[in-house]
Amino acid sequence: MNPQYRVQNPVDNQVIETFDFATDQEIAQTLDRSAAAFSEWRKTTFAERAEIVSRAAEILRERSDELSSIMAQEMGKQLPEGAWEVNFSADILQFYADRAEKHSADVEIPGIQGGKAMVRRLPLGPLLGVMPWNFPMYQVARFAGPNLMNGNTVILKHAEICPKSSAAFEQILKDAGLPDGAFINVYATHDQISTIIEDPRVQGVSLTGSERAGSAIASQAGKNLKKCVLELGGTDPYIVLDSSNVKEAAANAWATRVMNSGQVCTGNKRIIVMADIYDEFIEELTNIAKSYSQGDPQNPGENQYFPLSSRDAGENLEKQIDDAKSEGGVVHTGGNLLEGGAYFEPTVITDIPVGSDPYYQEFFGPVAEVYKVHSDEEAIAVANNSLYGLGGSVFSHDEERAKKVAAQVETGMIHVNLGQAFDPALPFGGVKRSGFGRELSVYALDEFVNKQTFYVND
């Protein structure tokens, strides 16, 4: 892996532009600027903050084409998906601009003898966000939106392959009127991340990324007595209990799986299908995967697949598929990384033995991993036999049956008759090794605030 911050087009693996790592002096200046900005930003009213954050949402929409093109070049996201992401990011910022003041109002505690008490939600200080490459705008919006509205300041360390996305987001906030230092994009090294977390002025850290990265960040945060929020991996179950139209069910499952080239934390990584429709489902899924051809993310067409974020990501996925095959997994189509760039063939794999190492791994790419089950109870058991617990979904014509199964799936999010719902008002987060804490919704406003008890004696 090239260690520099860079734009490395996954279509052909060519490095287009590089960016220097921050110097230690620049990191020190970043910490000073963030702390200085906090001393003033915390004093602003919710209305003043909302005006700026709302304007940032407008600018995001205005620059949708530019931002989508940046993401396509940096990590291979096709333009329509990039436009959707930018607009959803704007929705998120607007959500917090509209709701933060009401949610964060003082709350009186009733029934206190001898005095009056209330809970105030107060900003904490500078926060560090460590963000991944798969949704370069959305991930930043869902961290920055609630925390800027809370009166905190933000230091952003984005993925090394998304330097232009992170710089563009910083510029949008500046153009919206955010004071200098309230949001700082920094091209930090891993050692410098530790320096930032150790600084006593920094009050918390949020990471979206791999389990390995989450463990490292949580360890550092814990050592320094800092709160952290982690959104890590997932092997989300997608349970198909029945279908009167198996072709349509397979098509829906495939469309969900290949969103963002399969690089979605909440993607349907394990498709669990009832035995009576399993064979037809696999046949249809395989036919769909075979029908796809290589596409250009800057000029996408129908039934096309696009590169993964990097050649390294493709090589890792290919090794995972090979390991699964060696354990007994059957590849019905695909399974190979093409020469040159980061294009990975659309893949359908079955028969990975439950309990094997590959069974517990997350396949981050266009890989449909399918399991046959014979009862609702077996479907639930397979769904819950995971190290992760992020999201999931259950499908059935019998809604009550689907709801009964869904209620027993151990995840932070579960859906009935839908792959995933997207709305800023819905809490996002997981259990088990998928992390802890919640993003999106008003719950995100509670993660990095001082819930202060304010007592006045009679």
Side-chain angles (χ1 to χ4, degrees), residues 116-164:
K116 293 181 180 179
M118 65 179 64
V119 174
R120 306 164 69 206
R121 288 181 170 86
L122 305 176
L124 286 178
L127 304 173
L128 172 65
V130 182
M131 296 295 120
W133 45 257
N134 59 335
F135 288 94
M137 297 291 157
Y138 157 71
Q139 302 282 4
V140 179
R142 73 181 194 184
F143 173 60
N147 288 302
L148 289 175
M149 284 303 303
N150 276 336
N152 297 316
T153 55
V154 172
I155 299 170
L156 170 67
K157 189 276 176 203
H158 216 315
E160 282 87 347
I161 63 172
C162 294
K164 293 185 74 172

Side-chain angles (χ1 to χ4, degrees), residues 89-101:
S89 300
D91 290 345
I92 291 168
L93 294 187
Q94 192 62 55
F95 174 87
Y96 290 109
D98 293 342
R99 288 167 176 78
E101 182 171 11

Side-chain angles (χ1 to χ4, degrees), residues 269 271-273 278-279 281-283 285-286 321 324-333 347-354 356 358-359 363 367-372:
K269 309 280 174 37
I271 303 172
I272 301 166
V273 181
Y278 176 86
D279 290 341
F281 190 95
I282 292 296
E283 181 181 5
L285 207 62
T286 302
I321 295 295
K325 287 162 61 177
S326 70
E327 292 283 350
V330 176
V331 173
H332 296 256
T333 187
T347 303
V348 177
I349 185 169
T350 63
D351 301 292
I352 299 176
V354 175
S356 66
Y359 170 82
F363 292 173
V367 178
E369 178 186 352
V370 192
Y371 295 88
K372 181 196 296 187

